[in-house]
Amino acid sequence: MIYDHILIRYGELSLKGKNRKAFTNQLHENVRNQLREFPLIQINSSRDRMLITLNGEDPTEIISICQRIFGIHSLSLAIKAENDLVAIKEAALFALKDEKDVQTFKVSVRRANKDFPIPSQELNAIIGEHLLKNTSNITVDVHQPDLEVNIDIRKQHTFITSARYPGAGGLPVGTSGKSLLLLSGGIDSPVAGYLAMRRGVKIEAIHFHSPPYTSEGAKEKVLDLTRKLSEFGHDINVHVVPFTAIQEKIHREIPFGYSMTVMRRMMLKISEIVASRLDILSITTGESLGQVASQTMESMHAINAVTSYPVLRPLIMMDKSEIIKIAEEIGTYPISIRPFDDCCTIFVPNSPKTKPKKDKVEYYESHLDLTKELADLLDNIEVIKVSNSDQEDAPFNHLF
Ligand code: ATP
Ligand code: MG
């Protein structure tokens, strides 16, 4: 006997009506997309669960891919049996014996099909007895069993499952709209992107690049981070913005203490323009309150004033250690700590103002004409599509 199916349980069970339908449809599409390398499988979704028929494909890798897809609460290998007591007993025994290090178990029968002649309680006892008789050193514990053997009697068939693999939780990517993620090569912004995706947000990334001050290696790093993020949902476009001319001019013409604030405002303004061209309704950053000079309350007030778009800051109240923990879990940390310079650190003065005044910034900016540089910049954004299955990143023409 072998496991021939994978059963997927959804998260956020409180979702109702139309939301629920959107949730299941999107999850179905995301799972199909992430499992496109397994041509033999079939995927069927219903209101409360999804079933993958393996048709001979190896489940190990499929499970590990599914564990990164948001909207999945848990997964189990499953055996599909006839609605017949002998077949169910045999499958239940296989599901118990297949697990290592089990000392206690419990049987849970769900009889959705009331035509099945044996009531759940009775069936619990019959199967439990069969399992005890055919194993040694294993006992029943109905309160805290090592393993729960689930028997789900449906109209056509019965599904038998045992061990549960945890899913990533959250909402299926694509159910919460789109956001433009400001992605640096640092530790924080990839984590912010991950958390946005976990809440169902589809992302595109924007990266400010200042050659020759920042190297090709810095760009590669951002693409590697993006590839990691794409494992959690979908292919991601990275908009690489040539920022050198604007940074140089800010550096030349804005008083030192304020150059960082002006540069951040430009980054946000440019992000808003790119977002609006892509019909994206929000911007996401990896900012965390008080972490650096640009992330004080005063700085955020002065910087945020350039946009009316919602700026999502998933990390705003988190400690660095908490952020690092997530970065390690999702696999972005080793990439983030590779030593490459970020454009923001190159021109930043040793002591930027930690409490910039909004009127002062606006005053300095009123003497700064970036019209030409901005037009040039917008004409020269490179878009790179990053996919988790491609080895090579495919460049394609910018949309505008
Ligand atoms: P990170 O680890 O994400 O780089 P950080 O703590 O180093 O964050 P900053 O460098 O001050 O903080 O950047 C704050 C946020 O601004 C980043 O989280 C990111 O969203 C955005 N950002 C910074 N540099 C860039 C860049 N070169 N391109 C795009 N976004 C950037
Ligand atoms: Mg940074």
Side-chain angles (χ1 to χ4, degrees), residues 322-370:
E322 295 170 306
I323 299 169
I324 289 177
K325 193 160 165 258
I326 301 176
E328 283 172 335
E329 275 167 20
I330 65 176
T332 52
Y333 187 73
I335 307 171
S336 292
I337 58 174
R338 276 191 225 154
F340 280 114
D341 273 324
D342 183 61
C343 71
C344 296
T345 47
I346 304 270
F347 291 95
V348 167
N350 286 335
S351 51
K353 280 254 178 294
T354 53
K355 297 186 175 181
K357 301 265 179 307
K358 186 167 145 267
D359 341 344
K360 260 193 165 172
V361 190
E362 285 169 355
Y363 170 76
Y364 293 136
E365 277 182 12
S366 66
H367 297 284
L368 180 73
D369 182 7
L370 292 173

Side-chain angles (χ1 to χ4, degrees), residues 167-211:
L171 296 174
V173 175
T175 54
S176 303
K178 245 182 169 187
S179 193
L180 185 64
L181 171 69
L182 274 88
L183 187 61
S184 69
I187 295 169
D188 303 329
S189 45
V191 175
Y194 164 83
L195 291 175
M197 290 171 89
R198 198 176 73 173
R199 212 51 212 157
V201 178
K202 213 167 177 173
I203 57 169
E204 298 214 14
I206 184 167
H207 176 66
F208 292 83
H209 185 47
S210 294

Side-chain angles (χ1 to χ4, degrees), residues 31-293:
V31 169
R32 202 185 49 204
N33 186 36
Q34 295 289 59
L35 297 179
R36 58 187 183 267
E37 317 268 296
F38 301 89
L40 300 182
I41 60 164
Q42 280 167 303
I43 304 168
N44 289 294
S45 303
S46 66
R47 260 194 104 256
D48 58 342
R49 62 188 204 152
M50 188 184 291
L51 197 66
I52 298 178
T53 309
L54 292 167
N55 291 324
E57 297 276 15
D58 176 13
T60 321
E61 203 187 336
I62 295 180
I63 287 187
S64 101
I65 293 173
C66 287
Q67 282 188 293
R68 290 191 293 255
I69 300 177
F70 297 121
I72 294 179
H73 180 260
S74 68
L75 311 100
S76 294
L77 286 163
I79 300 164
K80 180 168 151 182
E82 297 299 316
N83 285 349
D84 159 75
L85 186 58
V86 175
I88 296 172
K89 274 180 171 175
E90 195 188 336
L93 185 60
F94 172 82
L96 175 63
K97 280 187 163 173
D98 194 55
E99 288 305 314
K100 309 272 168 295
D101 301 326
V102 176
Q103 265 140 37
T104 57
F105 75 94
K106 147 188 184 179
V107 178
S108 297
V109 174
R110 233 183 83 192
R111 194 175 55 123
N113 175 1
K114 300 293 178 213
D115 292 339
F116 191 82
I118 310 169
S120 315
Q121 279 312 324
E122 208 175 306
L123 198 55
N124 262 335
I126 295 173
I127 307 277
E129 209 179 288
H130 179 72
L131 298 184
L132 284 172
K133 214 187 308 169
N134 289 283
T135 51
S136 45
N137 302 325
I138 298 187
T139 55
V140 171
D141 179 347
V142 289
H143 302 294
Q144 278 197 313
D146 295 337
L147 191 74
E148 192 172 322
V149 178
N150 290 284
I151 317 251
D152 190 3
I153 304 172
R154 302 240 156 185
K155 210 178 177 102
Q156 312 283 354
H157 297 278
T158 295
F159 289 93
I160 295 95
T161 58
S162 60
R164 285 182 184 224
Y165 301 86
L171 296 174
V173 175
T175 54
S176 303
K178 245 182 169 187
S179 193
L180 185 64
L181 171 69
L182 274 88
L183 187 61
S184 69
I187 295 169
D188 303 329
S189 45
V191 175
Y194 164 83
L195 291 175
M197 290 171 89
R198 198 176 73 173
R199 212 51 212 157
V201 178
K202 213 167 177 173
I203 57 169
E204 298 214 14
I206 184 167
H207 176 66
F208 292 83
H209 185 47
S210 294
Y213 306 104
T214 56
S215 64
E216 274 302 299
K219 193 167 122 187
E220 274 308 310
K221 187 179 172 188
V222 167
L223 297 180
D224 287 348
L225 287 168
T226 309
R227 196 169 301 108
K228 261 277 160 253
L229 285 180
S230 74
E231 288 176 13
F232 294 97
H234 55 84
D235 297 349
I236 298 172
N237 292 336
V238 185
H239 302 255
V240 183
V241 176
F243 201 38
T244 317
I246 288 186
Q247 278 199 295
E248 284 176 339
K249 197 154 183 183
I250 292 172
H251 188 63
R252 272 198 313 272
E253 298 190 12
I254 298 288
F256 224 44
Y258 272 85
S259 59
M260 189 270 298
T261 312
V262 173
M263 182 191 75
R264 294 281 175 184
R265 279 164 61 95
M266 280 312 294
M267 285 170 69
L268 201 53
K269 195 70 217 166
I270 293 163
S271 301
E272 183 190 275
I273 296 169
V274 173
S276 86
R277 289 178 173 189
L278 295 165
D279 284 330
I280 291 177
L281 302 182
S282 76
I283 291 165
T284 299
T285 76
E287 288 163 301
S288 167
L289 190 59
Q291 209 186 73
V292 286

